[in-house]
Amino acid sequence: QEGLTCLVDSLETESYLNPVGRIIAQVTIKNYLIQRLRFVESFKQHPEVYRAPLKPPLIVTGLARSGTSFLHRMLSMDPAHRALPQWQLMSPFSNPRKKYDGRRKRMEQSLRFREPLVQGADAVHYTRADTPEECIIVLGLTFNSLIFPTLFPVPGYLDWYLEEKDDTQKFHEYRCLLQHFQSEEVNQRLVLKTPAHTGNLRQIKNAIPQAMVIQTHREPATCVSSLCSLGYTFYRYESTSIDKIRIGEQTANLNEVWLRRNIEFREKNPGVVYDVFYDSLVADPVGTVKQIY
């Protein structure tokens, strides 16, 4: 409730949404509320799913724009692995009252709606309904997720998101969501990715001790400027007023907070993260994956 309230307040008072932006925000929030209801219902109806042991997932993290998507999509090509497509992350639970599962079609319709509006989106981050995507999308149903500042200029919500608070419930729900996905394909290992986990390794390892974490590295200044560009690409078609200076300051602060928390965790837990450097990944992708294996 706290996250939802903060998000709505930020959208209403800071985002300067145009009619298109308001429609997208409304549809997005409504979808996540529906998905949360179905998540709670699934937890009640199928407790065995959420008691099942979780096969150790592979989790790719690292600063945004540091090669996480490239590496994640390479790892997803292994038939023993399962990466989650965008449509399923956006709507992990089908409607049990309907015979036809329209989740993928709705995702395609949403992307077609945005396509003529978001000029240059494919150049900065190519994605389709079936493209493997980030865990922040499914974490939208917790209303404590970076998906909202990614989609909308909500600086107040982002400040709330970065506050030091007890995230135990959020990451318990994250584990449960992974158990739900695993129950659909029990023989495959989940391969996940999100830069947001860079600053949440302590919470990840507490909730999923068996998780295997890979962290990508790239010059932070390059990552920050590229992430600002990505955010502006989304914001400019849904807002009538964009504060570029504030976006830059908040993006730099976001990355600094992530790295400080990441370093603190790694100093206390040496050897639990496998490091991949951007230049090496680009120069020898297959060799890099072999080393990870």
Side-chain angles (χ1 to χ4, degrees):
Q1 256 184 342
E2 185 180 350
L4 173 59
T5 301
C6 183
L7 173 64
V8 172
D9 287 346
S10 192
L11 286 167
E12 290 286 12
T13 62
E14 302 176 305
S15 297
Y16 301 101
L17 295 177
N18 59 29
V20 170
R22 294 188 72 85
I23 290 170
I24 293 172
Q26 184 184 46
V27 169
T28 301
I29 291 172
K30 182 179 178 182
N31 172 73
Y32 281 131
L33 287 169
I34 291 169
Q35 287 298 315
R36 182 160 191 89
L37 284 170
R38 291 180 184 164
F39 178 33
V40 172
E41 189 65 21
S42 172
F43 199 87
K44 294 176 181 176
Q45 297 293 329
H46 305 285
E48 72 283 356
V49 168
Y50 304 99
R51 288 196 296 263
L54 190 62
K55 193 169 187 176
L58 265 177
I59 299 178
V60 178
T61 192
L63 294 186
R65 321 303 287 168
S66 66
T68 55
S69 293
F70 178 45
L71 179 57
H72 178 231
R73 291 173 186 180
M74 284 189 64
L75 290 167
S76 73
M77 296 173 72
D78 186 336
H81 290 166
R82 181 186 176 208
L84 301 168
Q86 184 170 197
W87 70 265
Q88 200 163 20
L89 288 164
M90 197 72 186
S91 301
F93 299 94
S94 61
N95 187 342
R97 297 172 183 82
K98 291 187 178 180
K99 292 181 180 180
Y100 172 70
D101 187 351
R103 291 177 293 167
R104 185 179 181 278
K105 184 176 181 180
R106 285 196 300 273
M107 187 76 248
E108 288 181 331
Q109 291 172 338
S110 175
L111 292 172
R112 279 200 299 271
F113 174 75
R114 293 187 183 203
E115 187 176 358
L117 301 171
V118 193
Q119 300 297 321
D122 279 357
V124 291
H125 184 71
Y126 180 89
T127 186
R128 295 292 184 269
D130 290 318
T131 304
E133 270 299 342
E134 298 190 21
C135 322
I136 59 167
I137 298 176
V138 73
L139 283 171
L141 62 76
T142 71
F143 288 92
N144 182 0
S145 172
L146 200 66
I147 187 60
F148 301 112
T150 300
L151 296 176
F152 308 104
V154 281
Y157 178 86
L158 182 56
D159 288 340
W160 172 84
Y161 174 81
L162 285 176
E163 287 176 3
E164 289 280 7
K165 51 184 175 288
D166 186 0
D167 281 337
T168 303
Q169 177 65 20
K170 170 185 172 179
F171 285 95
H172 169 69
E173 291 181 3
Y174 179 58
R175 178 189 174 92
C176 290
L177 288 164
L178 298 189
Q179 288 170 308
H180 162 71
F181 289 126
Q182 180 179 267
S183 69
E184 299 173 331
E185 298 286 349
V186 295
N187 294 322
Q188 290 180 303
R189 183 190 308 279
L190 288 170
V191 179
L192 310 155
K193 85 102 179 180
T194 184
H197 287 337
T198 304
N200 294 319
L201 294 186
R202 174 180 58 82
Q203 296 94 322
I204 290 289
K205 293 299 282 186
N206 284 342
I208 314 169
Q210 68 272 48
M212 297 180 289
V213 180
I214 305 161
Q215 182 174 339
T216 57
H217 299 268
R218 190 182 187 187
E219 166 58 46
T222 303
C223 295
V224 170
S225 60
S226 181
L227 187 57
C228 287
S229 174
L230 177 65
Y232 181 71
T233 299
F234 286 113
Y235 299 164
R236 64 184 178 181
Y237 76 90
E238 59 192 13
S239 176
T240 60
S241 178
I242 302 173
D243 188 341
K244 296 179 185 178
I245 300 300
R246 191 171 185 183
I247 290 172
E249 290 173 344
Q250 282 204 308
T251 304
N253 178 60
L254 171 71
N255 282 266
E256 182 178 349
V257 170
W258 279 353
L259 287 175
R260 288 188 184 280
R261 292 177 183 174
N262 182 272
I263 291 167
E264 180 182 1
F265 171 83
R266 295 183 57 148
E267 285 177 345
K268 295 177 180 177
N269 302 272
V272 301
V273 177
Y274 183 84
D275 294 306
V276 170
F277 294 90
Y278 180 82
D279 291 342
S280 300
L281 173 62
V282 173
D284 185 10
V286 174
T288 300
V289 170
K290 285 182 177 180
Q291 290 172 353
I292 289 170
Y293 279 37

